[in-house]
Amino acid sequence: MIEDEIDAALDDVARKFAANEYVFEERHRLNATERRFSGSAWSSIAEMGWLSVATPEEFGGLGLRISSITVLAEAAGAMFLNEPLTDTAFCGAYLVSELGSPLQKADMCPRILDGSLRLSVALDPAEWLPASASAIAVGGNGLLTGSLPLLPGADIADRILVRATDPSGATAIYSVNPQAEGVEVSPYPLVDGRGAASVTLAGAAGELLGEQGPIAETVVRNALAIGALATAADSLGVMNRALNTTVEYMKTRVQFGRPIGENQVLQHRAVDMHMLTQEARAVVAASVNAGGLDSKAFHHHVHAAKAIVDTNAREVAHGAIQLHGGIGMADEHVAGLCLWRVMVNEQLFGQQRDHMDLFGKGLPEGFDLESAD
């Protein structure tokens, strides 16, 4: 989804970073803890400007660039990046930029840019309608109570941005220190090497971002859309990695005296994987070009993209394993990790069924989704 010279430059440095610093074969020799987060890799990510694509220009960022977000997210998926790019650089930076007070932005935005502030966002992705209640409630004393059983990135976050509902039912975003009194964080690994935590708030203090008000509901929905699109782009990167790895394997794996890629049935399966990947790329690109972040068209296309990519990515990952045979399920092989990553992505920022339902609700009145050609 390269739209201009900035996107092209980000894509170029991402490819070089994956080839020279974030190499799958080298990282897979590390233990699980070392693979979870690399301080040196995170510093490189900050130096390359990846953390600037949703941060205001007044603080040295590039402003909100949806096309750049998808470029970087696709690169992250292709290299199996474990560092908290989406939560920190995309959703978190957007929330701080839109809701934070001038003092909060002056404090947090530079630290997002230089990589010294890692964020995790808790936005209740299954609850896209503004009137829905959050899992976290704000008591009359201003303290936060509730639990979040699955919060990706919370295992290494410096701050958690929590969507909460106050006694009047209004939505608000609070910044919570994971080390604060009343906050219990129980980390655990995800199957693809990333990490998460269950978080319990029992009368925990949080810092309200700005003054907020009715704008918070719109900003939360926009942040969810950014996260969903970035996750779809991440899975697209995984799909492309799975396809390229499989095609290369078919060219070099010899059975009965000839490469298995000469088998017409296997060729057809690889073509199917290619078509599914191209379809995923098309729906992600359509979202990028659908209009501004606040437009209904953008959200409508994002719902379609997340639903379609989730479905296609699972099928492509399965195809990669099947065409590799038994080796594809080995822990040290790319094919298996492709499946694990897209399985995790399916659970982030709304599941396939949620987005299909929301996509259907956004269709013109009288449009029959099931009977349409």
Side-chain angles (χ1 to χ4, degrees):
M1 277 56 69
I2 296 176
E3 297 290 311
D4 55 23
E5 293 181 356
I6 293 177
D7 291 345
L10 290 171
D11 181 65
D12 181 60
V13 296
R15 292 178 185 275
K16 292 177 180 177
F17 176 69
N20 301 321
E21 186 170 346
Y22 212 88
V23 182
F24 170 78
E25 290 77 11
E26 295 178 2
R27 287 184 54 79
H28 210 76
R29 298 190 187 102
L30 304 174
N31 62 44
T33 301
E34 292 172 323
R35 288 200 305 271
R36 170 62 186 105
F37 178 81
S38 167
S40 62
W42 189 242
S43 295
S44 295
I45 286 170
E47 291 171 3
M48 291 185 294
W50 293 20
L51 308 182
S52 66
V53 294
T55 305
E57 295 180 24
E58 62 185 290
F59 299 107
L62 296 172
L64 180 63
R65 293 180 52 86
I66 298 298
S67 61
S68 296
I69 286 173
T70 60
V71 167
L72 294 175
E74 182 179 350
M79 71 178 77
F80 310 120
L81 187 79
N82 287 340
E83 284 62 34
L85 185 64
T86 295
D87 278 49
T88 299
F90 306 157
C91 298
Y94 171 76
L95 289 169
V96 172
S97 301
E98 291 296 312
L99 297 178
S101 68
L103 286 176
Q104 288 170 330
K105 286 189 281 189
D107 170 52
M108 299 177 76
C109 288
R111 293 196 289 140
I112 290 173
L113 285 173
D114 67 18
S116 61
L117 179 63
R118 299 193 298 268
L119 301 173
S120 176
V121 295
L123 301 178
D124 290 350
E127 301 172 351
W128 287 76
L129 299 178
S132 63
S134 169
I136 305 299
V138 184
N141 54 5
L143 300 180
L144 306 176
T145 302
S147 61
L148 301 160
L150 171 62
L151 189 54
D155 58 319
I156 57 171
D158 300 306
R159 289 291 186 275
I160 302 172
L161 302 184
V162 179
R163 177 196 176 200
T165 304
D166 67 20
S168 71
T171 292
I173 298 294
Y174 286 81
S175 173
V176 176
N177 185 343
Q179 307 300 321
E181 183 179 354
V183 182
E184 181 181 348
V185 178
S186 302
Y188 55 86
L190 298 175
V191 68
D192 66 342
R194 288 178 284 184
S198 61
V199 177
T200 301
L201 306 180
E207 180 183 1
L208 180 67
L209 290 187
E211 297 181 1
Q212 300 194 30
I215 190 178
E217 293 179 349
T218 298
V219 171
V220 166
R221 294 187 72 241
N222 287 345
L224 284 167
I226 291 171
L229 181 58
T231 305
D234 185 292
S235 288
L236 172 60
V238 178
M239 294 169 72
N240 205 53
R241 179 72 178 266
L243 175 62
N244 291 338
T245 300
T246 301
V247 170
E248 185 62 29
Y249 180 77
M250 290 172 63
K251 291 178 180 178
T252 57
R253 177 71 168 95
V254 175
Q255 279 188 335
F256 307 112
R258 63 174 187 169
I260 63 173
E262 294 182 8
N263 185 302
Q264 194 173 54
V265 173
L266 301 188
Q267 291 175 4
H268 289 170
R269 186 63 186 275
V271 169
D272 289 341
M273 292 170 62
H274 171 75
M275 295 302 296
L276 290 168
T277 302
Q278 291 303 106
E279 181 181 40
R281 183 172 300 282
V283 293
V284 171
S287 299
V288 172
N289 296 308
L293 183 62
D294 293 325
S295 71
K296 291 183 179 180
F298 174 78
H299 288 261
H300 188 63
H301 279 80
V302 167
H303 292 315
K306 184 62 163 66
I308 291 171
V309 173
D310 277 356
T311 301
N312 288 13
R314 175 74 76 105
E315 189 166 345
V316 168
H318 280 149
I321 290 175
Q322 290 165 2
L323 289 174
H324 276 85
I327 193 175
M329 287 302 296
D331 287 344
E332 65 273 13
H333 201 277
V334 168
L337 187 53
C338 287
L339 178 59
W340 297 334
R341 187 161 182 111
V342 299
M343 287 174 63
V344 171
N345 283 348
E346 288 173 7
Q347 309 303 315
L348 305 180
F349 295 99
Q351 297 182 29
Q352 190 267 359
R353 61 177 180 271
D354 302 319
H355 287 283
M356 280 302 296
D357 181 54
L358 289 160
F359 173 75
K361 290 178 179 177
L363 291 170
E365 186 176 353
F367 186 92
D368 188 343
L369 184 62
E370 295 185 355
S371 63
D373 292 331

PDB file of all heavy atoms in Angstrom, residues 330-352:
ATOM      1  N   ALA A 330       7.207 -28.251  12.192  1.00  0.00           N
ATOM      2  CA  ALA A 330       8.341 -28.198  13.105  1.00  0.00           C
ATOM      3  C   ALA A 330       8.456 -26.801  13.716  1.00  0.00           C
ATOM      4  O   ALA A 330       8.182 -25.791  13.064  1.00  0.00           O
ATOM      5  CB  ALA A 330       9.630 -28.552  12.365  1.00  0.00           C
ATOM      6  N   ASP A 331       8.861 -26.741  14.971  1.00  0.00           N
ATOM      7  CA  ASP A 331       8.959 -25.472  15.688  1.00  0.00           C
ATOM      8  C   ASP A 331       9.889 -24.488  14.991  1.00  0.00           C
ATOM      9  O   ASP A 331       9.684 -23.277  15.048  1.00  0.00           O
ATOM     10  CB  ASP A 331       9.446 -25.698  17.117  1.00  0.00           C
ATOM     11  CG  ASP A 331       8.378 -26.316  18.000  1.00  0.00           C
ATOM     12  OD1 ASP A 331       7.197 -26.294  17.603  1.00  0.00           O
ATOM     13  OD2 ASP A 331       8.734 -26.836  19.072  1.00  0.00           O
ATOM     14  N   GLU A 332      10.928 -25.000  14.353  1.00  0.00           N
ATOM     15  CA  GLU A 332      11.925 -24.122  13.759  1.00  0.00           C
ATOM     16  C   GLU A 332      11.599 -23.732  12.318  1.00  0.00           C
ATOM     17  O   GLU A 332      12.402 -23.076  11.661  1.00  0.00           O
ATOM     18  CB  GLU A 332      13.313 -24.789  13.796  1.00  0.00           C
ATOM     19  CG  GLU A 332      13.439 -26.052  12.944  1.00  0.00           C
ATOM     20  CD  GLU A 332      13.018 -27.315  13.680  1.00  0.00           C
ATOM     21  OE1 GLU A 332      12.406 -27.190  14.756  1.00  0.00           O
ATOM     22  OE2 GLU A 332      13.315 -28.411  13.173  1.00  0.00           O
ATOM     23  N   HIS A 333      10.423 -24.118  11.834  1.00  0.00           N
ATOM     24  CA  HIS A 333      10.090 -23.827  10.439  1.00  0.00           C
ATOM     25  C   HIS A 333       9.133 -22.643  10.321  1.00  0.00           C
ATOM     26  O   HIS A 333       8.251 -22.448  11.170  1.00  0.00           O
ATOM     27  CB  HIS A 333       9.478 -25.060   9.762  1.00  0.00           C
ATOM     28  CG  HIS A 333       9.576 -25.000   8.272  1.00  0.00           C
ATOM     29  ND1 HIS A 333       8.674 -24.320   7.492  1.00  0.00           N
ATOM     30  CD2 HIS A 333      10.498 -25.521   7.419  1.00  0.00           C
ATOM     31  CE1 HIS A 333       9.016 -24.429   6.222  1.00  0.00           C
ATOM     32  NE2 HIS A 333      10.121 -25.142   6.147  1.00  0.00           N
ATOM     33  N   VAL A 334       9.318 -21.880   9.250  1.00  0.00           N
ATOM     34  CA  VAL A 334       8.519 -20.680   9.008  1.00  0.00           C
ATOM     35  C   VAL A 334       7.037 -21.000   8.856  1.00  0.00           C
ATOM     36  O   VAL A 334       6.171 -20.261   9.342  1.00  0.00           O
ATOM     37  CB  VAL A 334       9.034 -19.935   7.765  1.00  0.00           C
ATOM     38  CG1 VAL A 334       8.055 -18.861   7.329  1.00  0.00           C
ATOM     39  CG2 VAL A 334      10.402 -19.323   8.032  1.00  0.00           C
ATOM     40  N   ALA A 335       6.715 -22.095   8.187  1.00  0.00           N
ATOM     41  CA  ALA A 335       5.315 -22.394   7.863  1.00  0.00           C
ATOM     42  C   ALA A 335       4.447 -22.501   9.111  1.00  0.00           C
ATOM     43  O   ALA A 335       3.333 -21.975   9.158  1.00  0.00           O
ATOM     44  CB  ALA A 335       5.232 -23.683   7.046  1.00  0.00           C
ATOM     45  N   GLY A 336       4.953 -23.197  10.120  1.00  0.00           N
ATOM     46  CA  GLY A 336       4.177 -23.333  11.345  1.00  0.00           C
ATOM     47  C   GLY A 336       3.964 -22.002  12.047  1.00  0.00           C
ATOM     48  O   GLY A 336       2.873 -21.715  12.546  1.00  0.00           O
ATOM     49  N   LEU A 337       5.000 -21.161  12.053  1.00  0.00           N
ATOM     50  CA  LEU A 337       4.886 -19.867  12.704  1.00  0.00           C
ATOM     51  C   LEU A 337       3.891 -18.970  11.968  1.00  0.00           C
ATOM     52  O   LEU A 337       3.205 -18.150  12.594  1.00  0.00           O
ATOM     53  CB  LEU A 337       6.249 -19.190  12.784  1.00  0.00           C
ATOM     54  CG  LEU A 337       6.322 -17.887  13.588  1.00  0.00           C
ATOM     55  CD1 LEU A 337       5.744 -18.070  14.983  1.00  0.00           C
ATOM     56  CD2 LEU A 337       7.755 -17.381  13.674  1.00  0.00           C
ATOM     57  N   CYS A 338       3.795 -19.123  10.652  1.00  0.00           N
ATOM     58  CA  CYS A 338       2.794 -18.364   9.886  1.00  0.00           C
ATOM     59  C   CYS A 338       1.388 -18.671  10.400  1.00  0.00           C
ATOM     60  O   CYS A 338       0.573 -17.755  10.602  1.00  0.00           O
ATOM     61  CB  CYS A 338       2.889 -18.712   8.400  1.00  0.00           C
ATOM     62  SG  CYS A 338       4.329 -18.022   7.544  1.00  0.00           S
ATOM     63  N   LEU A 339       1.097 -19.935  10.620  1.00  0.00           N
ATOM     64  CA  LEU A 339      -0.220 -20.312  11.115  1.00  0.00           C
ATOM     65  C   LEU A 339      -0.456 -19.759  12.509  1.00  0.00           C
ATOM     66  O   LEU A 339      -1.525 -19.212  12.802  1.00  0.00           O
ATOM     67  CB  LEU A 339      -0.371 -21.829  11.112  1.00  0.00           C
ATOM     68  CG  LEU A 339      -1.701 -22.364  11.669  1.00  0.00           C
ATOM     69  CD1 LEU A 339      -2.885 -21.826  10.875  1.00  0.00           C
ATOM     70  CD2 LEU A 339      -1.715 -23.892  11.684  1.00  0.00           C
ATOM     71  N   TRP A 340       0.529 -19.884  13.383  1.00  0.00           N
ATOM     72  CA  TRP A 340       0.352 -19.402  14.753  1.00  0.00           C
ATOM     73  C   TRP A 340       0.104 -17.901  14.780  1.00  0.00           C
ATOM     74  O   TRP A 340      -0.727 -17.408  15.542  1.00  0.00           O
ATOM     75  CB  TRP A 340       1.580 -19.751  15.604  1.00  0.00           C
ATOM     76  CG  TRP A 340       1.795 -21.216  15.736  1.00  0.00           C
ATOM     77  CD1 TRP A 340       0.850 -22.203  15.642  1.00  0.00           C
ATOM     78  CD2 TRP A 340       3.032 -21.893  15.969  1.00  0.00           C
ATOM     79  NE1 TRP A 340       1.424 -23.443  15.797  1.00  0.00           N
ATOM     80  CE2 TRP A 340       2.759 -23.282  16.002  1.00  0.00           C
ATOM     81  CE3 TRP A 340       4.339 -21.470  16.142  1.00  0.00           C
ATOM     82  CZ2 TRP A 340       3.756 -24.229  16.211  1.00  0.00           C
ATOM     83  CZ3 TRP A 340       5.324 -22.414  16.357  1.00  0.00           C
ATOM     84  CH2 TRP A 340       5.032 -23.778  16.394  1.00  0.00           C
ATOM     85  N   ARG A 341       0.832 -17.161  13.946  1.00  0.00           N
ATOM     86  CA  ARG A 341       0.681 -15.701  13.975  1.00  0.00           C
ATOM     87  C   ARG A 341      -0.696 -15.272  13.476  1.00  0.00           C
ATOM     88  O   ARG A 341      -1.331 -14.402  14.076  1.00  0.00           O
ATOM     89  CB  ARG A 341       1.775 -15.022  13.159  1.00  0.00           C
ATOM     90  CG  ARG A 341       1.733 -13.488  13.338  1.00  0.00           C
ATOM     91  CD  ARG A 341       3.014 -12.844  12.937  1.00  0.00           C
ATOM     92  NE  ARG A 341       3.010 -11.404  13.149  1.00  0.00           N
ATOM     93  CZ  ARG A 341       3.728 -10.752  14.043  1.00  0.00           C
ATOM     94  NH1 ARG A 341       4.507 -11.417  14.873  1.00  0.00           N
ATOM     95  NH2 ARG A 341       3.683  -9.432  14.146  1.00  0.00           N
ATOM     96  N   VAL A 342      -1.167 -15.867  12.391  1.00  0.00           N
ATOM     97  CA  VAL A 342      -2.485 -15.449  11.902  1.00  0.00           C
ATOM     98  C   VAL A 342      -3.587 -15.896  12.863  1.00  0.00           C
ATOM     99  O   VAL A 342      -4.619 -15.234  12.968  1.00  0.00           O
ATOM    100  CB  VAL A 342      -2.757 -15.954  10.469  1.00  0.00           C
ATOM    101  CG1 VAL A 342      -1.729 -15.394   9.492  1.00  0.00           C
ATOM    102  CG2 VAL A 342      -2.803 -17.472  10.395  1.00  0.00           C
ATOM    103  N   MET A 343      -3.364 -16.999  13.577  1.00  0.00           N
ATOM    104  CA  MET A 343      -4.341 -17.415  14.581  1.00  0.00           C
ATOM    105  C   MET A 343      -4.444 -16.385  15.707  1.00  0.00           C
ATOM    106  O   MET A 343      -5.536 -16.079  16.195  1.00  0.00           O
ATOM    107  CB  MET A 343      -3.969 -18.790  15.144  1.00  0.00           C
ATOM    108  CG  MET A 343      -4.216 -19.948  14.182  1.00  0.00           C
ATOM    109  SD  MET A 343      -3.585 -21.531  14.823  1.00  0.00           S
ATOM    110  CE  MET A 343      -4.595 -21.725  16.293  1.00  0.00           C
ATOM    111  N   VAL A 344      -3.302 -15.849  16.136  1.00  0.00           N
ATOM    112  CA  VAL A 344      -3.325 -14.799  17.154  1.00  0.00           C
ATOM    113  C   VAL A 344      -3.974 -13.538  16.596  1.00  0.00           C
ATOM    114  O   VAL A 344      -4.807 -12.899  17.248  1.00  0.00           O
ATOM    115  CB  VAL A 344      -1.899 -14.501  17.658  1.00  0.00           C
ATOM    116  CG1 VAL A 344      -1.897 -13.262  18.548  1.00  0.00           C
ATOM    117  CG2 VAL A 344      -1.345 -15.696  18.429  1.00  0.00           C
ATOM    118  N   ASN A 345      -3.613 -13.170  15.367  1.00  0.00           N
ATOM    119  CA  ASN A 345      -4.188 -11.966  14.765  1.00  0.00           C
ATOM    120  C   ASN A 345      -5.703 -12.040  14.641  1.00  0.00           C
ATOM    121  O   ASN A 345      -6.387 -11.009  14.702  1.00  0.00           O
ATOM    122  CB  ASN A 345      -3.573 -11.726  13.381  1.00  0.00           C
ATOM    123  CG  ASN A 345      -2.167 -11.137  13.454  1.00  0.00           C
ATOM    124  OD1 ASN A 345      -1.722 -10.706  14.505  1.00  0.00           O
ATOM    125  ND2 ASN A 345      -1.473 -11.122  12.330  1.00  0.00           N
ATOM    126  N   GLU A 346      -6.224 -13.233  14.461  1.00  0.00           N
ATOM    127  CA  GLU A 346      -7.680 -13.397  14.366  1.00  0.00           C
ATOM    128  C   GLU A 346      -8.388 -12.901  15.628  1.00  0.00           C
ATOM    129  O   GLU A 346      -9.553 -12.480  15.584  1.00  0.00           O
ATOM    130  CB  GLU A 346      -8.032 -14.871  14.157  1.00  0.00           C
ATOM    131  CG  GLU A 346      -7.702 -15.399  12.777  1.00  0.00           C
ATOM    132  CD  GLU A 346      -7.911 -16.910  12.685  1.00  0.00           C
ATOM    133  OE1 GLU A 346      -8.443 -17.485  13.668  1.00  0.00           O
ATOM    134  OE2 GLU A 346      -7.542 -17.511  11.664  1.00  0.00           O
ATOM    135  N   GLN A 347      -7.701 -12.935  16.767  1.00  0.00           N
ATOM    136  CA  GLN A 347      -8.315 -12.574  18.043  1.00  0.00           C
ATOM    137  C   GLN A 347      -8.139 -11.096  18.395  1.00  0.00           C
ATOM    138  O   GLN A 347      -8.703 -10.631  19.378  1.00  0.00           O
ATOM    139  CB  GLN A 347      -7.704 -13.429  19.172  1.00  0.00           C
ATOM    140  CG  GLN A 347      -7.696 -14.915  18.902  1.00  0.00           C
ATOM    141  CD  GLN A 347      -9.076 -15.460  18.610  1.00  0.00           C
ATOM    142  OE1 GLN A 347     -10.041 -15.132  19.309  1.00  0.00           O
ATOM    143  NE2 GLN A 347      -9.187 -16.277  17.576  1.00  0.00           N
ATOM    144  N   LEU A 348      -7.367 -10.364  17.605  1.00  0.00           N
ATOM    145  CA  LEU A 348      -7.028  -8.984  17.927  1.00  0.00           C
ATOM    146  C   LEU A 348      -7.935  -7.998  17.201  1.00  0.00           C
ATOM    147  O   LEU A 348      -8.206  -8.157  16.018  1.00  0.00           O
ATOM    148  CB  LEU A 348      -5.569  -8.704  17.560  1.00  0.00           C
ATOM    149  CG  LEU A 348      -4.516  -9.641  18.160  1.00  0.00           C
ATOM    150  CD1 LEU A 348      -3.129  -9.230  17.705  1.00  0.00           C
ATOM    151  CD2 LEU A 348      -4.606  -9.663  19.679  1.00  0.00           C
ATOM    152  N   PHE A 349      -8.403  -6.993  17.918  1.00  0.00           N
ATOM    153  CA  PHE A 349      -9.201  -5.904  17.351  1.00  0.00           C
ATOM    154  C   PHE A 349     -10.444  -6.405  16.615  1.00  0.00           C
ATOM    155  O   PHE A 349     -10.796  -5.918  15.553  1.00  0.00           O
ATOM    156  CB  PHE A 349      -8.338  -5.039  16.420  1.00  0.00           C
ATOM    157  CG  PHE A 349      -7.238  -4.330  17.147  1.00  0.00           C
ATOM    158  CD1 PHE A 349      -5.945  -4.831  17.139  1.00  0.00           C
ATOM    159  CD2 PHE A 349      -7.508  -3.176  17.870  1.00  0.00           C
ATOM    160  CE1 PHE A 349      -4.925  -4.182  17.837  1.00  0.00           C
ATOM    161  CE2 PHE A 349      -6.489  -2.524  18.570  1.00  0.00           C
ATOM    162  CZ  PHE A 349      -5.202  -3.029  18.552  1.00  0.00           C
ATOM    163  N   GLY A 350     -11.112  -7.363  17.215  1.00  0.00           N
ATOM    164  CA  GLY A 350     -12.357  -7.870  16.664  1.00  0.00           C
ATOM    165  C   GLY A 350     -12.147  -9.117  15.816  1.00  0.00           C
ATOM    166  O   GLY A 350     -11.243  -9.168  14.989  1.00  0.00           O
ATOM    167  N   GLN A 351     -12.980 -10.106  16.037  1.00  0.00           N
ATOM    168  CA  GLN A 351     -12.877 -11.356  15.294  1.00  0.00           C
ATOM    169  C   GLN A 351     -13.652 -11.273  13.977  1.00  0.00           C
ATOM    170  O   GLN A 351     -14.409 -10.343  13.737  1.00  0.00           O
ATOM    171  CB  GLN A 351     -13.387 -12.511  16.148  1.00  0.00           C
ATOM    172  CG  GLN A 351     -12.571 -12.731  17.416  1.00  0.00           C
ATOM    173  CD  GLN A 351     -13.062 -13.900  18.234  1.00  0.00           C
ATOM    174  OE1 GLN A 351     -13.615 -14.854  17.707  1.00  0.00           O
ATOM    175  NE2 GLN A 351     -12.876 -13.832  19.549  1.00  0.00           N
ATOM    176  N   GLN A 352     -13.441 -12.278  13.148  1.00  0.00           N
ATOM    177  CA  GLN A 352     -14.023 -12.280  11.808  1.00  0.00           C
ATOM    178  C   GLN A 352     -15.533 -12.092  11.842  1.00  0.00           C
ATOM    179  O   GLN A 352     -16.093 -11.290  11.086  1.00  0.00           O
ATOM    180  CB  GLN A 352     -13.646 -13.587  11.087  1.00  0.00           C
ATOM    181  CG  GLN A 352     -13.988 -13.629   9.616  1.00  0.00           C
ATOM    182  CD  GLN A 352     -15.344 -14.249   9.316  1.00  0.00           C
ATOM    183  OE1 GLN A 352     -16.056 -14.678  10.235  1.00  0.00           O
ATOM    184  NE2 GLN A 352     -15.711 -14.297   8.059  1.00  0.00           N
TER     185      GLN A 352
END
